[in-house]
Amino acid sequence: MSVMVDVTTLLFASSTARAGFILIFLIASFKSEARVAFGYWTVSIISSAAALLLIYSDSSYPYFAAGRGTVIYAIVGLSLSSIWAGGRTFFGLGVDKVRFAIMGLFPGLVYGGVHLFGMKPIAAVLLTIATLSFLMAVAARPFLARNRRRYLPSQLLVGTALVAYSVALALSVVLIIVRVRAFGAITQPSMTEIALSLFIDQLMGVLTYVGLIAMSLEDAQVRLKAIALMDPLTGLANRRGVQSRTAALIMACRCAKRPVAVLIVDLDHFKSINDRYGHVSGDMVLKEFADRLSSHCRREQDVTGRWGGEEFLAVLRDTTLEQAIDIAEQLCRRVSETQFDIGGQAIVVTVSIGVAAIDDHISALEHAVKKADEALYDAKRNGRNRVCSAIPQPLLAIAS
């Protein structure tokens, strides 16, 4: 009798926990940035709760009638396919609707199909559990794979929980086969076995759903950090973002004894553009130039950002001062030769650029920016629309 109480208690606890998660996920499906993913996960929790009640309220468990078993395992399949689809959506991957439907229906079709072909009930149970084990592993894949977004620690929790459940199901298949071979038949599971099954389901379910919530919170933190380091107008890094991204770049180049250079680019007479065409057009000029600067530099190696106002900065990896001057001159020429199409108006824009090498100074970036800034003012004093460079310190000493 005490075991029966334990089973009832576990079933109640599992259903209650899922009800709480359903409420949380429903709210997230309307309020969260990952609302589509949470929509799928809400379907997953509701489906798993419904399947749980149908499974353990049937005295014939696990040898359900063909029709009832088909429905039950189709609901379980929908729960797994929804976790999989939510994971892919969360990480910006596409969801194949046909695959989603097949994943959802397949466990039910396996159970019903085995009965349809007149095979023994034990065969239906074994093949269906094996199918669920495979689909559980498939559902875990989006959470264990490194994708386009930054890898989140809670992904590992979700993926591991799903894989562990998959392994548990696979082991149950092995144990059933061993018992059938040893005793020639399989009886109804004992209350202890049912309690253990419920406990595993409850544990893995809680780990999965808590992991999904934690994953969304971690992703929100990553997004907020990215926003804090990004200029909202141009989409480039802001001053803080440039400083953050170049610290590792400069250190790596120092260790490898590779050169690094910096460009400071200023849009000439930008105030007059704002005065003549309006601030909206001025913002469009800034965004267009940001795109040109980003495409002119090497996206994977170099760091580009908006340093402030109409000033932009580029940190060029594996680039000598002479190479940086050549890059700057090409940029200066291309900007002046290609008009900016702003709202149907062709605007001629020119830039002045200061170039400096990043040396071994203790404050390498700040020191190089100061030198490049001095060179930039030289470019402005000498008529703008040109490139000037900071003379390296050793050469300056020789010249003096």
Side-chain angles (χ1 to χ4, degrees), residues 64 66 125 177 194 206 214 242 245 267 274 303 309 327 376 386 388:
F64 308 113
V125 171
I177 292 174
I194 294 175
V206 169
V242 170
R245 292 177 59 188
L267 275 65
N274 275 334
V303 176
I327 292 171
L376 172 62
R386 66 188 64 236
C388 286

Side-chain angles (χ1 to χ4, degrees), residues 83-246:
I83 288 180
W84 168 80
R88 288 187 63 84
T89 302
F90 184 86
F91 294 111
L93 305 172
V95 176
D96 187 327
K97 293 181 180 179
V98 174
R99 187 176 179 184
F100 173 78
I102 291 174
M103 283 183 66
L105 295 173
F106 196 57
L109 293 176
V110 168
Y111 190 85
V114 173
H115 277 277
L116 183 64
F117 284 104
M119 299 174 69
K120 294 182 179 180
I122 186 64
V125 171
L126 288 174
L127 289 174
T128 303
I129 294 176
T131 300
L132 292 175
S133 175
F134 171 74
L135 293 180
M136 191 80 73
V138 172
R141 187 175 179 181
F143 303 97
L144 296 177
R146 289 187 177 270
N147 39 60
R148 288 173 289 181
R149 287 194 193 179
R150 180 179 175 181
Y151 193 80
L152 303 170
S154 50
Q155 287 180 241
L156 185 61
L157 174 61
V158 177
T160 301
L162 293 171
V163 169
Y165 207 164
S166 173
V167 171
L169 289 173
L171 287 175
S172 69
V173 172
V174 174
L175 290 175
I176 292 172
I177 292 174
V178 170
R179 289 176 64 178
V180 169
R181 287 185 175 275
F183 301 105
I186 188 73
T187 59
Q188 292 291 122
S190 66
M191 288 299 175
T192 302
E193 291 171 330
I194 294 175
L196 178 61
S197 176
L198 266 170
F199 174 76
I200 294 174
D201 177 85
Q202 171 73 348
L203 176 62
M204 297 307 169
V206 169
L207 288 176
T208 299
Y209 300 134
V210 168
L212 293 175
I213 294 171
M215 196 170 70
S216 66
L217 294 175
E218 288 177 1
D219 182 64
Q221 290 178 338
V222 171
R223 287 174 177 269
L224 287 174
K225 184 177 179 180
I227 290 172
L229 300 177
M230 184 182 71
D231 174 55
L233 176 64
T234 63
L236 297 181
N238 57 19
R239 182 184 291 247
R240 183 180 172 189
V242 170
Q243 292 170 335
S244 174
R245 292 177 59 188
T246 53

Side-chain angles (χ1 to χ4, degrees), residues 236 245 290-304:
L236 297 181
R245 292 177 59 188
D291 291 340
R292 294 192 187 190
L293 175 64
S294 181
S295 62
H296 187 73
C297 298
R298 297 162 297 183
R299 293 177 184 271
E300 298 299 323
Q301 298 185 43
D302 303 330
V303 176
T304 56

Side-chain angles (χ1 to χ4, degrees), residues 341-364:
D341 184 7
I342 307 300
Q345 301 179 89
I347 300 177
V348 177
V349 178
T350 63
V351 295
S352 299
I353 306 177
V355 186
I358 295 181
D359 53 27
D360 292 331
H361 192 276
I362 189 170
S363 300

